[in-house]
Amino acid sequence: MEFNIYDLTSFTSSFDQLLMENLSPFWAVAIEMILIGVAILAFYAVVGLYLVYAERKVCAFMQCRVGPNRVGPYGFFQTIADLIKLLMKELIPIKNADKLLFNIAPYIVIIASFMAIAAIPFAKGLHAIDFNIGIFYIMAVSSLGVIGILIAGWSSNNKYSLIGAMRSGAQIVSYELSVGLSLITIVILSGSLQLSTIVEGQRDGWFLFTGHIPALIAFLVFLVAATAETNRGPFDLAEAESELTAGFHTEYSGIKFAFFFLAEYMNMFIVASIAVTMFLGGWMPFHVGGWEAFNNIMDYIPPFFWYAGKTAFIIWVMMWFKWTFPRLRIDQLLTLEWKYLLPINLVNIIIMAFVVLMGWHF
Amino acid sequence: MRSIINYLKEIFGAVAALFKGMRVTGYYFFHPKEIVTQQYPENRATLTMFDRFKGEVIMPHNENNEHKCTACGICEMNCPNGSIEIISEMKVNEEGKKKKVLSKHIYHLGMCTFCNLCVKTCPSNALAMGQDFEHAVFDRSKLNKVLNKPGSVLMKGTE
Amino acid sequence: MVEEITKGKLEEQEFSINMGPQHPSTHGVLRMMLKLKGETVKEVKPQLGYIHRGIEKMCEKLTYQQIIHLTDRLDYMSANILNEAVCLTVEDALQVEVPERVQYIRTIMGELNRIASHQLWWCAFGMDLGALTTFFYGLRDREKILDIFEETIGARLLLSYNVPGGLMNDIHPNFQKKVKEFITYFRKKLPEYDALLTGNPIMQQRTKGIGMLTKEQAIAYGVSGPSGRGSGFSCDVRIHQPYSAYSKADFKEILYHEGDTFARYKVRIDEMWESMNIIEQLIDNIPEGNYTAKMKPVIKLPVGEYYTRVEAVRGEFGVYIVSDGNKTPYRVKFRSPNFSNLSALDLMAREQKIADLIAIGGSMDYVIPDMDR
């Protein structure tokens, strides 16, 4: 059985053919783009809102609380109510702020995270663009967000915001290295930058298991660096509530603040997706080589659920980090990167190259 | 070589210690029974305050609408914030003697700090602390309460 | 502009920033005027006056019984201990011997108050460092103590339980049982605090060697309480000048000699253990008797000056009363520990990062209404 029952490729390609037959190629592509754009937009909003809800519930349970439980059953519509509130709030104009940059910053942040979603394979065939340099594209695009943060901090005419933005700049520039290098480790193992090929390559075992020790190290490094890159958890220096009130988004209100907030959660979703795609087999079910019966049972669970479940787990782990650890100081943050993660990563790449060369992986 | 071993030791030690902390939060995540939140407005029916809880100053009345306040003014004197005002009048009783009678015992809840001095110093135990704690009102003037009920009189035998 | 920078004409400026009065980690309305160079703090100027209520002046118009409820509002986290300080001063002036039962109960209440305060400090310290979960664990355990207070006293925070000559009312019949239950509960929960925060390498990096205060500096600046004891300054009034029933309990002074933020942290954690020890020794031995000594309804202190000091949660708290023989004091002065502790902040935070300033502030455990009476 080769995932036939859940393969969406035939559905999308037949839809494509249908459009191509009836319309000129330009219009066919245009309609497809609009449809995909709307679908991703809706997906983005829903996932963003429910990640906020999930975070509030997770942290509540970790803190012996109940969490939101007033709006709807179990507070399920709490974040929607919050969104409505944020939409109706006044956008406070800041005196002496750089108007253009101040207004453009939240859009840059949100567009950066929005663009990255396009290249993530959610299931077989459920994949907006399958670049041959997919992972490279995601890395490039998702790191654009820091420009928005820097602009926001600079243009706000607020000293706390400026400190927050500068911290964020230093942090992301350094952690980008670790994220990239840990992914390169897997690229060496898979031999491809294309996300669909990478996922396909994990048919008989996720890279986390087939690449054993170096992949495991790369996974842990990626987890730490990705948490840092999303400005979350113990690495939320750019916000640093207790030090800088709210850091780079101190002066933002209403929906502009909501954009930053939503982008933070979507970035978390994106890095979790990358982790899942690169290390945990993406939408691939859990397969053990040689166990045919077991593999067949696993195949009955649709790939999207595999993908969603694994992503949810990674997100949960990142939330677990955030709600357990105290925040690092800026110099310690950079020490962690340059003295620990980077050397480990470089050594790890060599080990991985060696392992692949000798064929010691599974 | 030693420094490399120390470096690795440091890393593993740190990861182990971090994991120890994560175990604590993880334990609570998977044990929802440890939740201590009280669902306040819903649990009104079962929520009982301790009998000594200082919610507000009240003047207990018995079933005949009688209180024990002799309008002596000691509570007014002892209140550090001036949150008690006593308005009394002189009345002639059956024996033909002029006597001070309480007409209004005004209590400004908004100023009260619940120090318990009025209750403690009252010579005839006319005041007590009530357990009601839901004092929110829309108008501040509603916090000025008259403690003696309308038409109430002094309990027999209280001097 | 570019030319100016490349030729080095552009001067480097210090970045001045106001932290507070509205800021999440100044624990109230403290305003700190910072001079920064990048992230490094060059100067801290604490500014007070945002919550000045004139309590000392108000005391001059109130009788000695009425002063008690104002002392609650100084260091609200150690209300009971501050009440006790005023009561001890008045009793001392009047030469009144309070019953032994009162002394025991005052000591137990004071130590419960100390634990509750340290729990809240632990919450806030974790929050200052960015570990948000600590806040809820600390408050969860503090709730148990507040329930004990509520059952006996009727109040949870501003207790006003001590009155000159004794107590407001006797302890609740459940009191001893509840306190023992709490101690067995908290002995299990306190190691959790260590697992979550004390042992955490991030927390240790953030606190070890940060905000150094030597013993000499601590003495020179009058830093007392756990903050002073973290620098090796033996300043526990409970040991050096035992009052109430402290002489009946066997306990030791917690001293750390490092003088950094972590030492001050450890002092407080260890003090919680020590406070539980004291309570355990006393709780079963509360003697029978009256809960108040015989006092006149109107207290008039003899003409003179009186000073008493107690060990409040944050340090040495002193009450100085000048009496002219009337029923209200002529002058009252409180020696509050936080004010002196704050004076050392500039010394500790210079050349540290902003994040360290927050951690140092957290480890000193400021309560602003106590500084700014």
Side-chain angles (χ1 to χ4, degrees), chain A residues 134-190:
Chain A
I135 192 65
F136 184 68
Y137 166 82
I138 288 182
M139 289 316 307
V141 160
S142 63
S143 58
L144 278 179
V146 68
I147 295 174
I149 289 174
L150 275 171
I151 290 177
W154 172 256
S155 64
S156 290
N157 188 27
N158 180 321
K159 290 171 179 175
Y160 286 117
S161 299
L162 187 61
I163 296 176
M166 291 305 146
R167 281 182 177 186
S168 177
Q171 179 182 342
I172 295 199
V173 165
S174 18
Y175 276 84
E176 199 68 38
L177 273 172
S178 276
V179 171
L181 288 175
S182 55
L183 291 180
I184 282 176
T185 320
I186 294 302
V187 170
I188 292 171
L189 183 61
S190 72

Side-chain angles (χ1 to χ4, degrees), chain C residues 145-272:
Chain C
I145 294 184
L146 297 192
D147 277 344
I148 293 170
F149 284 157
E150 195 183 337
E151 195 169 32
T152 288
I153 302 168
R156 295 165 73 83
L157 188 68
L158 306 170
L159 304 169
S160 302
Y161 184 50
N162 296 314
V163 291
L167 305 165
M168 190 62 89
N169 41 32
D170 207 355
I171 49 171
H172 197 274
N174 284 342
F175 178 75
Q176 277 153 304
K177 194 185 87 198
K178 284 268 181 79
V179 170
K180 277 186 243 169
E181 270 172 21
F182 165 75
I183 286 177
T184 39
Y185 167 83
F186 195 52
R187 276 187 193 278
K188 266 186 235 142
K189 291 291 177 189
L190 201 48
E192 217 169 68
Y193 289 22
D194 287 337
L196 194 63
L197 202 59
T198 317
N200 192 308
I202 301 175
M203 184 272 183
Q204 294 194 354
Q205 269 189 24
R206 283 287 304 272
T207 51
K208 279 191 178 163
I210 303 298
M212 296 301 289
L213 187 74
T214 61
K215 186 179 173 183
E216 287 69 35
Q217 285 167 335
I219 294 170
Y221 280 76
V223 176
S224 56
S227 313
R229 290 197 283 278
S231 304
F233 172 27
S234 168
C235 55
D236 198 331
V237 183
R238 295 175 294 170
I239 296 267
H240 296 298
Q241 216 178 64
Y243 54 93
S244 291
Y246 284 112
S247 52
K248 276 127 190 152
D250 176 36
F251 65 104
K252 60 177 191 294
E253 185 175 13
I254 312 292
L255 271 183
Y256 278 77
H257 296 277
E258 289 85 357
D260 57 359
T261 309
F262 190 68
R264 292 191 280 274
Y265 174 93
K266 283 295 282 181
V267 168
R268 288 198 168 85
I269 292 280
D270 289 1
E271 266 194 10
M272 286 198 252

Side-chain angles (χ1 to χ4, degrees), chain C residues 41-328:
Chain C
V41 176
K42 290 286 173 191
E43 194 186 353
V44 187
K45 263 192 203 164
Q47 300 275 316
L48 293 173
Y50 290 91
I51 192 163
H52 185 73
R53 295 147 296 169
I55 282 185
E56 284 162 358
K57 192 72 193 165
M58 277 157 80
C59 288
E60 292 170 17
K61 291 273 173 261
L62 297 175
T63 66
Y64 293 101
Q65 289 101 326
Q66 290 172 339
I67 287 175
I68 302 293
H69 94 120
L70 284 179
T71 52
D72 281 345
R73 284 148 178 88
L74 294 173
D75 181 352
Y76 45 77
M77 294 310 303
S78 48
N80 199 64
I81 301 170
L82 306 197
N83 295 164
E84 194 180 344
V86 176
C87 294
L88 288 173
T89 320
V90 173
E91 284 152 13
D92 188 37
L94 290 175
Q95 308 279 321
V96 175
E97 190 71 34
V98 295
E100 209 162 76
R101 182 179 178 82
V102 175
Q103 294 182 357
Y104 271 72
I105 296 170
R106 276 181 181 175
T107 308
I108 292 167
M109 284 290 183
E111 289 308 306
L112 281 176
N113 211 321
R114 194 181 306 277
I115 296 176
S117 172
H118 282 337
Q119 282 167 340
L120 192 88
W121 156 80
W122 186 76
C123 305
F125 187 66
M127 289 274 278
D128 285 343
L129 292 180
L132 300 161
T133 304
T134 60
F135 194 75
F136 294 91
Y137 292 172
L139 283 188
R140 177 195 64 196
D141 301 337
R142 180 168 166 261
E143 197 68 17
K144 309 259 178 206
I145 294 184
L146 297 192
D147 277 344
I148 293 170
F149 284 157
E150 195 183 337
E151 195 169 32
T152 288
I153 302 168
R156 295 165 73 83
L157 188 68
L158 306 170
L159 304 169
S160 302
Y161 184 50
N162 296 314
V163 291
L167 305 165
M168 190 62 89
N169 41 32
D170 207 355
I171 49 171
H172 197 274
N174 284 342
F175 178 75
Q176 277 153 304
K177 194 185 87 198
K178 284 268 181 79
V179 170
K180 277 186 243 169
E181 270 172 21
F182 165 75
I183 286 177
T184 39
Y185 167 83
F186 195 52
R187 276 187 193 278
K188 266 186 235 142
K189 291 291 177 189
L190 201 48
E192 217 169 68
Y193 289 22
D194 287 337
L196 194 63
L197 202 59
T198 317
N200 192 308
I202 301 175
M203 184 272 183
Q204 294 194 354
Q205 269 189 24
R206 283 287 304 272
T207 51
K208 279 191 178 163
I210 303 298
M212 296 301 289
L213 187 74
T214 61
K215 186 179 173 183
E216 287 69 35
Q217 285 167 335
I219 294 170
Y221 280 76
V223 176
S224 56
S227 313
R229 290 197 283 278
S231 304
F233 172 27
S234 168
C235 55
D236 198 331
V237 183
R238 295 175 294 170
I239 296 267
H240 296 298
Q241 216 178 64
Y243 54 93
S244 291
Y246 284 112
S247 52
K248 276 127 190 152
D250 176 36
F251 65 104
K252 60 177 191 294
E253 185 175 13
I254 312 292
L255 271 183
Y256 278 77
H257 296 277
E258 289 85 357
D260 57 359
T261 309
F262 190 68
R264 292 191 280 274
Y265 174 93
K266 283 295 282 181
V267 168
R268 288 198 168 85
I269 292 280
D270 289 1
E271 266 194 10
M272 286 198 252
W273 287 107
E274 210 54 47
S275 290
M276 284 196 285
N277 269 342
I278 296 173
I279 295 170
E280 260 185 350
Q281 288 172 39
L282 298 181
I283 190 73
D284 281 327
N285 305 325
I286 300 177
E288 292 298 318
N290 256 332
Y291 65 85
T292 176
K294 266 227 166 313
M295 297 291 279
K296 284 181 198 144
V298 177
I299 296 174
K300 283 183 184 167
L301 294 200
V303 181
E305 299 173 11
Y306 308 98
Y307 182 77
T308 312
R309 56 187 195 142
V310 297
E311 181 71 18
V313 180
R314 281 152 193 83
E316 185 184 317
F317 181 81
V319 180
Y320 176 66
I321 293 179
V322 183
S323 170
D324 55 359
N326 279 329
K327 62 177 184 175
T328 58

Side-chain angles (χ1 to χ4, degrees), chain B residues 38 43-51 53 131 133, chain C residues 150:
Chain B
Q38 290 188 20
N43 72 354
R44 267 199 189 122
T46 55
L47 183 69
T48 46
M49 305 306 291
F50 293 112
D51 51 357
F53 177 71
Q131 274 73 50
F133 59 93
Chain C
E150 195 183 337

Side-chain angles (χ1 to χ4, degrees), chain A residues 105-142:
Chain A
Y107 295 96
I108 293 179
V109 171
I110 208 157
I111 285 169
S113 65
F114 195 76
M115 278 159 76
I117 284 194
I120 293 170
F122 295 108
K124 195 172 172 70
L126 205 65
H127 193 169
I129 327 164
D130 191 12
F131 284 120
N132 56 356
I133 49 160
I135 192 65
F136 184 68
Y137 166 82
I138 288 182
M139 289 316 307
V141 160
S142 63

